[in-house]
Amino acid sequence: MRMPFKRYEIGKVFRDGPVKTGRNREFTQCDVDVVGVSSMIAEAEYFAITMDVFNILGLPVYISYNNRKLLSGIVEASSIDSHKAGTVILSIDKLEKIGKEGVSRELEEKGIDEDSVIKLFNYMEMEPKELLRYLSQNPINKSIKEGLDELNELNSFIEAAQLSENVKLSPFLARGLEIYTGTIWEVFLKDGSITSSLGGGGRYDKIIGGFLESDNEYPAVG
């Protein structure tokens, strides 16, 4: 196939997991994907598409975004064992819902020692710009460096596309732990009248190779 391959689809889908208000088992979803673009320009294009669609719908939104490599690197820098990283990130993602005390309690129950929790919260309590500046001067591990490089590239495209006022960097945003490999994002109403996200996506460079049982990577975003 010629690359890049771009497609969209609107149709009925079904979801596993708990059902609650705003989270149905069966619903209609619009998917938009591109395969074959390793540059962060693909993510910037999706941010632009997102803003166009919600503007047409008359819904003022903003995009909250992060990089999974950066988040994993911060967990590693907090002296947390790599095999516990996934479950720790799940707890971090609950910060807005259960607060610092709730997250700390969860991490303790998961066997994370107090020193590591303190290190992690030292990072989490920094303002995003301050955190990025600190990590840029102290790239503690490979994951942090790669995550910062990708974020810097994406930010340059966001600025060029004049999208800066519509996006918000959230260094501890987590989603799709088993799917996404780089950029991740979620879409929220600016007025907060609906607290759950209205959309989201990310980069999943390893999924296609996994289905093909191949070591080849097929860069993909959607």
Side-chain angles (χ1 to χ4, degrees):
M1 296 176 65
R2 290 181 61 186
M3 296 293 172
F5 170 66
K6 297 183 177 183
R7 49 82 74 175
Y8 75 91
E9 177 181 8
I10 301 175
K12 187 181 292 186
V13 294
F14 297 86
R15 160 169 38 212
D16 194 4
V19 174
K20 58 184 180 181
T21 302
R23 187 178 178 89
N24 299 329
R25 175 77 68 221
E26 174 187 347
F27 55 103
T28 299
Q29 178 165 294
C30 174
D31 287 315
V32 189
D33 300 270
V34 60
V35 181
V37 181
S38 57
S39 166
M40 300 297 108
I41 198 170
E43 282 90 329
E45 182 177 19
Y46 280 127
F47 287 8
I49 290 170
T50 297
M51 296 312 301
D52 285 348
V53 168
F54 282 100
N55 283 338
I56 291 169
L57 293 172
L59 296 172
V61 299
Y62 70 92
I63 299 168
S64 180
Y65 71 106
N66 191 22
N67 187 286
R68 281 296 317 283
K69 293 174 185 175
L70 178 68
L71 182 55
S72 297
I74 290 172
V75 171
E76 181 186 336
S78 302
S79 304
I80 293 171
D81 292 340
S82 58
H83 68 277
K84 291 185 178 180
T87 187
V88 167
I89 290 172
L90 285 175
S91 295
I92 291 171
D93 196 38
K94 298 178 184 178
L95 182 63
E96 289 189 7
K97 294 179 182 177
I98 63 177
K100 180 179 177 179
E101 288 185 8
V103 173
S104 297
R105 189 163 51 249
E106 270 202 15
L107 293 175
E108 184 181 339
E109 290 169 357
K110 291 176 178 181
I112 308 302
D113 65 73
E114 186 179 354
D115 287 345
S116 293
V117 173
I118 291 171
K119 282 184 183 178
L120 183 59
F121 273 103
N122 284 340
Y123 291 119
M124 292 176 70
E125 290 170 352
M126 289 186 188
E127 288 295 320
K129 288 184 179 179
E130 179 191 356
L131 176 63
L132 292 191
R133 187 164 53 248
Y134 172 77
L135 293 176
S136 296
Q137 295 167 354
N138 304 273
I140 303 163
N141 54 52
K142 182 181 177 184
S143 293
I144 285 178
K145 186 178 186 311
E146 289 181 354
L148 287 172
D149 288 344
E150 291 183 4
L151 276 176
N152 287 333
E153 182 185 352
L154 175 56
N155 287 338
S156 68
F157 287 124
I158 287 173
E159 188 175 342
Q162 299 182 333
L163 293 168
S164 300
E165 293 184 1
N166 304 114
V167 301
K168 174 186 175 185
L169 176 62
S170 303
F172 295 93
L173 173 70
R175 61 178 277 117
L177 296 183
E178 296 178 356
I179 299 172
Y180 298 120
T181 56
T183 310
I184 50 176
W185 70 87
E186 292 189 338
V187 185
F188 295 95
L189 279 179
K190 284 184 175 179
D191 65 9
S193 57
I194 297 175
T195 55
S196 58
S197 64
L198 302 185
R203 177 170 286 275
Y204 51 99
D205 288 346
K206 297 185 183 296
I207 290 292
I208 298 174
F211 277 125
L212 296 175
E213 298 183 350
S214 164
D215 291 332
N216 293 337
E217 278 196 7
Y218 297 84
V221 186

